Amino acid sequence: MRIGVIGTGRIGTIHANTLSRHHEVGSLILTDVNPQRAQDLAHRLGETAAPGTDEIFTWGVDAVVITAATSAHADLIGRAARSGLPVFCEKPIALDLPGTLQALAEVEKAGTVLQMGFQRRFDKGYAGAREAVRSGRLGRLHTVRALTSDQSPPPPEWLPLSGGLFRDTLIHDFDVLRWVTGREVVDVYATGSDAGPAMFREAGDVDTAAAVLTLDDGTLATATATRLNGAGYDVRMELAGERDTVVVGLDDRTPVASTEPTGPPPADKPWPGFLERFGPAYEAELCAFVDVVRGQLANPCDGREALQALRIAEACEISRHERRPVALAEVPGSLA
């Protein structure tokens, strides 16, 4: 199997390393807007670098992995679909609903595969929570609390391109909330604070956000995020039911400190970032993609799943700006 990798930045390098080691992958073709970066990575891995994206499609590949800039995702997904190629793409499909729907329409018209990169679905902790909910261990689920806290903010120049805290960061919590519970979000109320560094205000974004979400069975969920969590990278989900409560992301590297006299000690080596925290999950999702391409596994996260997570993020942005509850039915783009 020959796979083309478009984009060799941080996550593209990780995916290329995973694929290069995979016993079912014979070779890779790597390309990047910075040709030297692609060449350097190809040299380290013993793979081939291409001078541009065109060569990915003309040199002949069996599948495409897209880790390029977000602004390029939709066009590349469409091009791969028209070429009849299965695609793995980092989230999001696009930063807006029209672009997302257009790319999905191309995939559906071509009848090809689009697997989205929501890596938390491949994390053992989230998988355990899903099993706890689905098995009935928790009883009736009444409360879910999700959080994502980055240790330090991204570069200022990247913020205007990110889509904002709800679309860029909390979208992971929205996706995994649906995946773990098996329920749909029916309405949201969201707010945010830009009281931190000025670069967030200048980008029209917030550095901290919170949302209350109601699920279709009446379960209440909260989702919070911040770019300024100095203690370390912190991603957790608590699920409380009438019988039991479980938590994802609580271990000896969770960056929290107890104020109780008999509480556990603070983390000795807190997680510095998402690449370290979710390393095994990133590898597992690419291995799953190889199995999807080989016809041995059903697509574990298709484009419709990404659309639903984006619609929740869009509803949160509307709620933040208009300071009111927003029903998901108000957000266009639901696929039948």
Side-chain angles (χ1 to χ4, degrees):
M1 182 187 304
R2 193 183 204 188
I3 297 179
V5 179
I6 305 174
T8 56
R10 286 190 304 170
I11 196 64
T13 296
I14 287 175
H15 289 340
N17 272 277
T18 296
L19 293 169
S20 187
R21 297 192 308 267
H22 199 290
H23 63 280
E24 295 292 347
V25 178
S27 62
L28 303 178
I29 301 177
L30 311 177
T31 192
D32 193 272
V33 291
N34 180 344
Q36 189 60 53
R37 185 163 64 181
Q39 290 175 12
D40 291 344
L41 179 59
H43 179 74
R44 292 199 301 273
L45 298 179
E47 304 290 356
T48 301
T53 302
D54 288 347
E55 285 76 12
I56 295 291
F57 297 98
T58 59
W59 288 3
V61 294
D62 300 298
V64 175
V65 170
I66 299 171
T67 58
T70 295
S71 59
H73 287 187
D75 286 344
L76 291 171
I77 289 170
R79 186 169 184 181
R82 293 190 297 274
S83 300
L85 295 172
V87 175
F88 175 93
C89 184
E90 280 300 322
K91 64 84 188 169
I93 294 173
L95 286 177
D96 59 19
L97 286 168
T100 299
L101 291 167
Q102 176 60 37
L104 289 178
E106 295 244 38
V107 171
E108 296 207 352
K109 180 180 179 180
T112 52
V113 168
L114 169 61
Q115 180 182 329
M116 295 303 300
F118 282 105
Q119 86 284 353
R120 294 187 194 183
R121 293 179 176 225
F122 296 86
D123 177 75
K124 290 183 178 180
Y126 283 105
R130 187 175 193 262
E131 173 59 25
V133 172
R134 305 301 179 89
S135 69
R137 170 184 162 186
L138 305 184
R140 183 186 69 85
L141 187 65
H142 54 74
T143 307
V144 182
R145 306 176 187 92
L147 68 88
T148 296
S149 300
D150 291 330
Q151 184 175 26
S152 54
E157 61 273 12
W158 183 81
L159 284 175
L161 308 175
S162 71
L165 194 56
F166 289 106
R167 297 186 191 95
D168 177 58
T169 299
L170 277 166
I171 196 168
H172 282 287
D173 297 273
F174 301 151
D175 174 72
V176 84
L177 173 65
R178 296 180 60 249
W179 186 73
V180 167
T181 65
R183 314 305 306 193
E184 296 294 341
V185 173
V186 295
D187 60 52
V188 308
Y189 184 84
T191 188
S193 170
D194 61 3
M199 64 182 185
F200 292 98
R201 292 186 292 279
E202 293 165 357
D205 197 6
V206 292
D207 57 73
T208 304
V212 178
L213 310 100
T214 304
L215 307 189
D216 58 11
D217 64 347
T219 301
L220 296 179
T222 61
T224 63
T226 184
R227 302 283 196 186
L228 303 163
N229 198 58
Y233 182 71
D234 191 4
V235 171
R236 279 176 281 144
M237 174 181 273
E238 299 175 10
L239 300 106
E242 293 183 343
R243 294 179 184 171
D244 201 359
T245 298
V246 295
V247 58
V248 179
L250 183 61
D251 58 21
D252 60 2
R253 299 194 67 177
T254 306
V256 295
S258 174
T259 60
E260 299 296 335
T262 58
D268 183 41
K269 295 181 179 179
W271 297 108
F274 64 92
L275 296 178
E276 295 82 7
R277 165 67 176 84
F278 290 110
Y282 280 118
E283 182 168 348
E285 68 178 358
L286 262 293
C287 291
F289 178 61
V290 172
D291 288 342
V292 169
V293 175
R294 297 179 66 221
Q296 297 186 338
L297 181 71
N299 190 346
C301 187
D302 65 20
R304 290 170 178 255
E305 301 292 303
L307 172 63
Q308 291 304 97
L310 178 61
R311 291 181 68 236
I312 299 169
E314 291 288 333
C316 287
E317 281 290 5
I318 295 170
S319 179
R320 177 174 78 88
H321 284 289
E322 300 184 5
R323 295 183 176 274
R324 66 175 178 89
V326 175
L328 262 290
E330 297 181 47
V331 181
S334 180
L335 290 177

